[in-house]
Amino acid sequence: MNLAQQSRLLACLAVLCWILLFHSQTNIIIIASAIAFLTYPFFRRLQRKFNVGFSLIIYYCCLALVVIIPIILITVLVTPQAVNGYKTLMLWIDKGLELPPAIEHYITVMNTWLETIPGFQDLQSSTAEISGTIRRSLSSFLQLLLTGSISFAGSTINIAMQLFLIIFLAGLAVMYAKTCQKLAIRITALPEECIERFILAFQRAARSIFLGVFFVAFIQGILVGIGFFIFGVKDAAFWGLIAMICAVIPIFGTALIWVPIAITVWVGGSFYSALGIVLWGIIIVAGADNLLRPYCLQKGIKTSIIVLFFAIICSIIAFGPIGLILGPTLVALGIQAVEESDYLLQKAQEQKNTE
């Protein structure tokens, strides 16, 4: 075994040690890595002005503020409305999911019309059974959702520890970025310029994911909240936050929130407000999504929006919510690997021709 092989073996051993240390925290590692790739240019600018230690302190402070400030704003604005929403849902469950009088009226009118259809009488018993099953399932789902929310709220210390670990690991990653680059060169035996292009590809992918997935979801949530406030929907900030979470769901997105709200407003007797919510959701909210998301995602990942769309769906199915980050990243990695393969093959062909 020559010295180059020994060096590669030791580099693999170093990476294996870190993998064994953090193998149970895969999601945290992926999130921290994405943040590190996204913020590394900022850390390099700090290093040009300050020493490493002071640069790292400033980096940690800025990263903590970026995480803490939105949490404080959400806590101040949304928590009171979330409590009201929780009480409303609990009261609705206690009443056996009793529908508002306006909806009951429409259901009665619909049943009266259906009774005029031949053969509908034979289906009434089955319809009642299905309706009862749906109510029981919905009640169980809501209770599970509320229980999960309480558990989520009760695990504040665990969430805080995970956020701390993500920020800490992101700082370590940017501080030891050059060491990680050296290990990648030794393990893969690729030219240094190839590794640098891979790093640039990851940085562009991280920026695209942040802007195209999370920033666009943030904008959509704000737009939904503004629309609900304009058209008189109660607890608009709370529903805007829920819409922000749903905005990252492919295909359905914020429509999971504003469509049911519009129907509720309509059956409550406010037809024009419901129409305004629908138009706001289609033109403003969905329009912002259709304009911003493709532009942001394609700006850093050189492929079509259709490929990215299906990559996100497949990665969510395979890996869960972390697939929002992992899917576009794997696409960017695959594209860059093909380009580097072509580059190395062309370089080998040129060397062969010169010989």
Side-chain angles (χ1 to χ4, degrees):
M1 183 181 293
N2 56 36
L3 294 178
Q5 292 174 332
Q6 292 175 358
S7 175
R8 180 181 294 183
L9 179 62
L10 292 174
C12 291
L13 178 61
V15 173
L16 179 61
C17 291
W18 286 102
I19 291 175
L20 292 175
L21 184 61
F22 292 106
H23 75 280
S24 62
Q25 304 293 333
T26 306
N27 291 350
I28 290 178
I29 293 295
I30 293 173
I31 296 172
S33 300
I35 293 174
F37 277 112
L38 182 65
T39 57
Y40 182 64
F42 170 69
F43 183 76
R44 289 185 62 184
R45 285 196 292 269
L46 289 176
Q47 280 189 302
R48 296 191 190 104
K49 298 180 181 180
F50 311 104
N51 58 44
V52 176
F54 194 63
S55 299
L56 190 61
I57 292 173
I58 297 175
Y59 176 85
Y60 275 135
C61 291
C62 293
L63 205 57
L65 288 175
V66 169
V67 173
I68 292 172
I69 290 177
I71 293 175
I72 294 175
L73 290 175
I74 289 172
T75 302
V76 172
L77 293 175
V78 177
T79 300
Q81 298 187 12
V83 171
N84 292 333
Y86 172 79
K87 291 179 179 178
T88 301
L89 282 176
M90 286 301 298
L91 182 62
W92 190 40
I93 292 173
D94 292 339
K95 290 183 177 180
L97 305 182
E98 180 181 316
L99 297 175
I103 297 180
E104 291 284 3
H105 171 70
Y106 280 105
I107 292 176
T108 301
V109 172
M110 182 64 69
N111 283 333
T112 303
W113 175 75
L114 289 173
E115 286 176 356
T116 61
I117 300 176
F120 179 74
Q121 297 290 341
D122 299 332
L123 297 176
Q124 279 189 320
S125 58
S126 300
T127 304
E129 183 178 349
I130 293 172
S131 176
T133 303
I134 292 174
R135 283 176 179 264
R136 289 191 297 271
S137 301
L138 180 59
S139 177
S140 300
F141 171 75
L142 289 174
Q143 289 176 345
L144 179 63
L145 179 64
L146 293 174
T147 303
S149 300
I150 294 172
S151 301
F152 179 79
S155 59
T156 307
I157 296 178
N158 185 38
I159 295 171
M161 289 297 295
Q162 289 182 350
L163 288 175
F164 171 79
L165 187 57
I166 289 171
I167 293 173
F168 177 72
L169 290 176
L172 284 183
V174 296
M175 186 171 66
Y176 292 105
K178 293 297 183 182
T179 302
C180 295
Q181 183 176 352
K182 290 178 183 178
L183 289 175
I185 293 171
R186 290 172 187 171
I187 292 173
T188 61
L190 289 172
E192 183 176 354
E193 60 269 20
C194 287
I195 298 297
E196 290 178 353
R197 285 193 290 269
F198 270 111
I199 292 173
L200 290 175
F202 280 127
Q203 288 177 345
R204 291 194 297 265
R207 185 168 57 249
S208 296
I209 292 166
F210 171 75
L211 293 175
V213 178
F214 300 106
F215 180 71
V216 172
F218 176 75
I219 295 296
Q220 285 187 285
I222 292 177
L223 291 175
V224 169
I226 292 173
F228 285 170
F229 177 77
I230 291 173
F231 296 106
V233 176
K234 189 179 178 181
D235 301 331
F238 171 70
W239 293 115
L241 174 64
I242 301 301
M244 190 183 303
I245 297 172
C246 292
V248 300
I249 301 175
I251 301 175
F252 302 105
T254 56
L256 290 171
I257 302 301
W258 58 260
V259 169
I261 294 293
I263 294 174
T264 303
V265 171
W266 173 54
V267 298
S270 301
F271 171 76
Y272 291 106
S273 295
L275 180 61
I277 292 172
V278 171
L279 293 177
W280 183 274
I282 294 174
I283 298 173
I284 303 299
V285 180
D289 179 56
N290 293 332
L291 288 175
L292 293 176
R293 196 183 301 274
Y295 173 77
C296 294
L297 285 174
Q298 288 182 289
K299 190 174 182 180
I301 303 175
K302 296 174 286 186
T303 188
S304 68
I305 190 63
I306 301 296
V307 173
L308 288 172
F309 176 75
F310 283 104
I312 291 174
I313 292 178
C314 293
S315 58
I316 289 175
I317 294 173
F319 306 108
I322 200 66
L324 288 168
I325 297 175
L326 204 54
T329 302
L330 291 175
V331 171
L333 174 63
I335 293 172
Q336 190 64 32
V338 171
E339 292 183 357
E340 295 302 326
S341 175
D342 292 339
Y343 169 77
L344 293 175
L345 185 61
Q346 181 181 0
K347 192 173 181 180
Q349 192 68 34
E350 290 175 356
Q351 291 179 350
K352 184 178 179 181
N353 292 336
T354 54
E355 293 175 358

